[in-house]
Amino acid sequence: MNEINSPILAVSGLKKYYNNSSIRAVDDVSFTINQGETLGLVGESGCGKSTIAKLIVQLEKPSEGKILFHNQDLSTLNKEDKHKNKTKIQMIFQDPYSSLNPRKTIGDAIKDPMLYHQICEKEEVHKEILRLLDLVGLPANSMDRYPKDFSGGQRQRIGIARALSLKPELLICDEPVSALDVSIQAQILNLLKTIQKELSLSMLFIGHGLSVVHYISDRIAVMYQGKIVEEADSIALFTNPGHDYTKTLISSIPILDPTLRNIRKA
Amino acid sequence: MEQTSFIRRFSRHKLGTLSFFILCIISFAAIFAPVLAPFDPNEIVGGFGKAPTSEFLLGTDQVGRDVLSRLLYGTRISLMVGFLATIISSAVGIFLGLLAGYFGGPLDMVIMRFTDMVMSFPYILLVLVAAAIFQPGLWTMILILGFVDWPQMARLVRGNVLSIREKNYVKASKVAGMSHAYILFSEILPNTVAPILIYGTSVVAISMLDEAALSFLGMGIKPPQASLGNMLNGAQSLSILTSKPWLWLPPGLMILLLVMSVNFIGDALRDAFDPNQS
C-alpha cells in the first residue's frame, strides 16, 4: 500500500531443500513486506508456507537465498546484534495447545522473555503483563493460572500476548486460526487486525483458506508447490485472478447465498 | 490446586498409599536406629544363634549380636544406598540425556554410543572389579551403583526431550531468543519430571537389591557393619536356613517390603502424573 516506505522484510531467492534436494519445500521464493503492511501467504497444506515462517524466524536455515530485515541479513549478524534483533520478529503458532508450556503459569510464560531481554523493569513487569492481557481481552486473574484452564481461542490470545510482550516490529502468524472453531476464528482475526493497526505492526499472515487471508491482508501471495505463483493486491486478486491455482482457491470458498452461488457457476 | 488433585489421584492407588506409609515408618525406624535399637549392632551381647526371647526380640546371630538392632542399622544402610545411588545415577542420566536429546547431532551420537557401551557391559563384573580395585565399603558401593545405573535414565530422558523439543512452546522460546540453559531447565526439564520420578523409584528398588546381592557375595558392605545383604550372608548354610529362620527371615522380609513398597509408590506416581487417568 505504502509504496514509498522501505520494506521491513525482503526475501529473495529463498530455497529450502530437504533430503539432498529431493524435497523442495521452498523453491526460489522472493517477496517483500512493507512497514505496517500485512502480507497474506496462502496455499494448500505442504506447499511450503510454514517452512517460510520457520526460515524467517530462524528456526531453520535456508539452503539458499537471503532474508533481509531492515536491509540486514540476520544470519550474518554477530552474536550480540543477533540477540538484540531476536525480539523484533515474533511468531504466533498454529496449534495453540502445544504453544504453551503446561507447567508454567501464564504470567511466568510472558514474564521470562521480557526480563531476559530487559524489555521492562522488574518492578513494572506485573503491570506490563496486566496491560498485555487486557490488550488481548483476557481477565487479569489469568496470570496465575495454567494453560489447561484455557480454551483454544484463549490460548491463542495468550500466544499473541506473549509475542507482543517483546515489542516486535514484525509478526509472523502461521495459520493462527486454522485450529480454532469458526466462531472463535473471527474473534482472533479481529483481535489481530486491531492490534496490527494500533501498534502499526508489519505482519506475515499464513493461511490455507483465501477468505481468512483476504480478510486480514493488504496484499496476498499465492503459493503452490514451493513457489509463489501469484502476488497481488488483496482486492485485485479476487477480481482478476491470474493463475489457475488462484482461481481454484477462490472457487473453493463456500458461498452461502444460493443466488450468488448460481452466478458464480454461470 | 494442582497439588491437591495430585494427592487425590495418588491416594486413589490404595497399595501405593499403604506402601508410602510403610516406607515412612521404615525410614523413621532406620533414621532413629541409634535411639530405637536395644543393643549396639556390632557388640556381642548374648549367646550364639539364640532363638527370639523377650530380651532379644528377633534372637541373636551366630556370633551373639542382636538381630533386631542389626536389622535397624542394616535397613539404614540399604535405604541410604538405594536413595543416594539413585540420586547420583539420575543426575548423570538426566544431564547426559538432556544434552543428547536437545543438541542432537554428533554430541547425541557420542553420548548415546557411550551409553550403549556402559549398558552392554555385564555390570556385576564391573562392580566386582571396581570393588576389588577400590576399598570395598558403603561409599564405594554407592558410587559404583550410581555410575552403572544411569544409562537407562539417560535414554529415557533423551527420548522425552526429543518429543518435547518439537513442541511449539520450545520453538516460541527459541524465537524469543532465550538461552539454551533456559530452554533446557525451564521449558524442557519440568515436563520430564514425571517419567524421571517414576523410573527413579524403580532404580531405588534395583539399587537396594544390588546392595543385598553384593553384600551377600561379600563384595559390598564390610562386616561387622550390618546391611541387609550381609545379614543374609551369614545364613548361607542349609542347617541355618531350616533350623534358625530368625537369622535370615527378618532381613529377607525387610528387603521384600522395601522393594515392594518402592515399586508400588512408583505405580501410584505413574497414575497420579497421568491426567488421563482421572
PDB file of all heavy atoms in Angstrom, chain B residues 82-95:
ATOM      1  N   GLY B  82      20.155 -47.160  48.426  1.00  0.00           N
ATOM      2  CA  GLY B  82      19.095 -47.033  47.432  1.00  0.00           C
ATOM      3  C   GLY B  82      18.903 -45.605  46.971  1.00  0.00           C
ATOM      4  O   GLY B  82      18.921 -45.322  45.774  1.00  0.00           O
ATOM      5  N   PHE B  83      18.767 -44.694  47.913  1.00  0.00           N
ATOM      6  CA  PHE B  83      18.445 -43.325  47.532  1.00  0.00           C
ATOM      7  C   PHE B  83      19.658 -42.558  46.990  1.00  0.00           C
ATOM      8  O   PHE B  83      19.550 -41.866  45.982  1.00  0.00           O
ATOM      9  CB  PHE B  83      17.800 -42.572  48.701  1.00  0.00           C
ATOM     10  CG  PHE B  83      16.358 -42.947  48.864  1.00  0.00           C
ATOM     11  CD1 PHE B  83      15.963 -43.885  49.806  1.00  0.00           C
ATOM     12  CD2 PHE B  83      15.389 -42.401  48.031  1.00  0.00           C
ATOM     13  CE1 PHE B  83      14.632 -44.255  49.935  1.00  0.00           C
ATOM     14  CE2 PHE B  83      14.058 -42.768  48.153  1.00  0.00           C
ATOM     15  CZ  PHE B  83      13.678 -43.706  49.104  1.00  0.00           C
ATOM     16  N   LEU B  84      20.813 -42.715  47.639  1.00  0.00           N
ATOM     17  CA  LEU B  84      21.978 -41.963  47.160  1.00  0.00           C
ATOM     18  C   LEU B  84      22.436 -42.452  45.791  1.00  0.00           C
ATOM     19  O   LEU B  84      22.752 -41.650  44.916  1.00  0.00           O
ATOM     20  CB  LEU B  84      23.123 -42.048  48.180  1.00  0.00           C
ATOM     21  CG  LEU B  84      22.883 -41.241  49.455  1.00  0.00           C
ATOM     22  CD1 LEU B  84      24.063 -41.391  50.402  1.00  0.00           C
ATOM     23  CD2 LEU B  84      22.651 -39.774  49.137  1.00  0.00           C
ATOM     24  N   ALA B  85      22.448 -43.780  45.598  1.00  0.00           N
ATOM     25  CA  ALA B  85      22.850 -44.308  44.287  1.00  0.00           C
ATOM     26  C   ALA B  85      21.886 -43.801  43.214  1.00  0.00           C
ATOM     27  O   ALA B  85      22.299 -43.462  42.107  1.00  0.00           O
ATOM     28  CB  ALA B  85      22.880 -45.830  44.303  1.00  0.00           C
ATOM     29  N   THR B  86      20.605 -43.738  43.559  1.00  0.00           N
ATOM     30  CA  THR B  86      19.613 -43.256  42.595  1.00  0.00           C
ATOM     31  C   THR B  86      19.821 -41.781  42.278  1.00  0.00           C
ATOM     32  O   THR B  86      19.724 -41.359  41.122  1.00  0.00           O
ATOM     33  CB  THR B  86      18.192 -43.459  43.143  1.00  0.00           C
ATOM     34  OG1 THR B  86      18.030 -44.839  43.448  1.00  0.00           O
ATOM     35  CG2 THR B  86      17.153 -43.035  42.127  1.00  0.00           C
ATOM     36  N   ILE B  87      20.136 -40.993  43.312  1.00  0.00           N
ATOM     37  CA  ILE B  87      20.366 -39.566  43.073  1.00  0.00           C
ATOM     38  C   ILE B  87      21.564 -39.369  42.147  1.00  0.00           C
ATOM     39  O   ILE B  87      21.510 -38.593  41.185  1.00  0.00           O
ATOM     40  CB  ILE B  87      20.579 -38.821  44.417  1.00  0.00           C
ATOM     41  CG1 ILE B  87      19.239 -38.742  45.159  1.00  0.00           C
ATOM     42  CG2 ILE B  87      21.144 -37.428  44.181  1.00  0.00           C
ATOM     43  CD1 ILE B  87      19.351 -38.222  46.567  1.00  0.00           C
ATOM     44  N   ILE B  88      22.639 -40.117  42.403  1.00  0.00           N
ATOM     45  CA  ILE B  88      23.828 -39.979  41.558  1.00  0.00           C
ATOM     46  C   ILE B  88      23.521 -40.420  40.126  1.00  0.00           C
ATOM     47  O   ILE B  88      23.779 -39.689  39.164  1.00  0.00           O
ATOM     48  CB  ILE B  88      25.004 -40.809  42.120  1.00  0.00           C
ATOM     49  CG1 ILE B  88      25.475 -40.209  43.437  1.00  0.00           C
ATOM     50  CG2 ILE B  88      26.156 -40.867  41.118  1.00  0.00           C
ATOM     51  CD1 ILE B  88      26.492 -41.059  44.161  1.00  0.00           C
ATOM     52  N   SER B  89      22.924 -41.614  39.980  1.00  0.00           N
ATOM     53  CA  SER B  89      22.695 -42.110  38.624  1.00  0.00           C
ATOM     54  C   SER B  89      21.677 -41.235  37.893  1.00  0.00           C
ATOM     55  O   SER B  89      21.794 -41.014  36.689  1.00  0.00           O
ATOM     56  CB  SER B  89      22.245 -43.564  38.640  1.00  0.00           C
ATOM     57  OG  SER B  89      20.978 -43.685  39.219  1.00  0.00           O
ATOM     58  N   SER B  90      20.685 -40.711  38.625  1.00  0.00           N
ATOM     59  CA  SER B  90      19.704 -39.843  37.965  1.00  0.00           C
ATOM     60  C   SER B  90      20.351 -38.547  37.510  1.00  0.00           C
ATOM     61  O   SER B  90      20.088 -38.070  36.403  1.00  0.00           O
ATOM     62  CB  SER B  90      18.544 -39.512  38.904  1.00  0.00           C
ATOM     63  OG  SER B  90      17.918 -40.684  39.320  1.00  0.00           O
ATOM     64  N   ALA B  91      21.206 -37.983  38.353  1.00  0.00           N
ATOM     65  CA  ALA B  91      21.851 -36.720  37.982  1.00  0.00           C
ATOM     66  C   ALA B  91      22.664 -36.908  36.707  1.00  0.00           C
ATOM     67  O   ALA B  91      22.551 -36.121  35.761  1.00  0.00           O
ATOM     68  CB  ALA B  91      22.741 -36.232  39.119  1.00  0.00           C
ATOM     69  N   VAL B  92      23.461 -37.981  36.668  1.00  0.00           N
ATOM     70  CA  VAL B  92      24.276 -38.244  35.479  1.00  0.00           C
ATOM     71  C   VAL B  92      23.378 -38.502  34.265  1.00  0.00           C
ATOM     72  O   VAL B  92      23.560 -37.914  33.196  1.00  0.00           O
ATOM     73  CB  VAL B  92      25.211 -39.455  35.716  1.00  0.00           C
ATOM     74  CG1 VAL B  92      25.986 -39.793  34.444  1.00  0.00           C
ATOM     75  CG2 VAL B  92      26.177 -39.163  36.848  1.00  0.00           C
ATOM     76  N   GLY B  93      22.371 -39.376  34.462  1.00  0.00           N
ATOM     77  CA  GLY B  93      21.492 -39.748  33.356  1.00  0.00           C
ATOM     78  C   GLY B  93      20.693 -38.573  32.817  1.00  0.00           C
ATOM     79  O   GLY B  93      20.566 -38.399  31.604  1.00  0.00           O
ATOM     80  N   ILE B  94      20.165 -37.748  33.717  1.00  0.00           N
ATOM     81  CA  ILE B  94      19.353 -36.600  33.294  1.00  0.00           C
ATOM     82  C   ILE B  94      20.218 -35.615  32.509  1.00  0.00           C
ATOM     83  O   ILE B  94      19.849 -35.142  31.443  1.00  0.00           O
ATOM     84  CB  ILE B  94      18.716 -35.896  34.506  1.00  0.00           C
ATOM     85  CG1 ILE B  94      17.627 -36.779  35.117  1.00  0.00           C
ATOM     86  CG2 ILE B  94      18.122 -34.555  34.112  1.00  0.00           C
ATOM     87  CD1 ILE B  94      17.149 -36.310  36.473  1.00  0.00           C
ATOM     88  N   PHE B  95      21.402 -35.345  33.051  1.00  0.00           N
ATOM     89  CA  PHE B  95      22.291 -34.383  32.404  1.00  0.00           C
ATOM     90  C   PHE B  95      22.656 -34.832  30.983  1.00  0.00           C
ATOM     91  O   PHE B  95      22.483 -34.096  30.018  1.00  0.00           O
ATOM     92  CB  PHE B  95      23.548 -34.208  33.262  1.00  0.00           C
ATOM     93  CG  PHE B  95      24.513 -33.200  32.723  1.00  0.00           C
ATOM     94  CD1 PHE B  95      24.208 -31.854  32.748  1.00  0.00           C
ATOM     95  CD2 PHE B  95      25.732 -33.602  32.185  1.00  0.00           C
ATOM     96  CE1 PHE B  95      25.091 -30.912  32.239  1.00  0.00           C
ATOM     97  CE2 PHE B  95      26.625 -32.672  31.682  1.00  0.00           C
ATOM     98  CZ  PHE B  95      26.302 -31.326  31.709  1.00  0.00           C
TER      99      PHE B  95
END
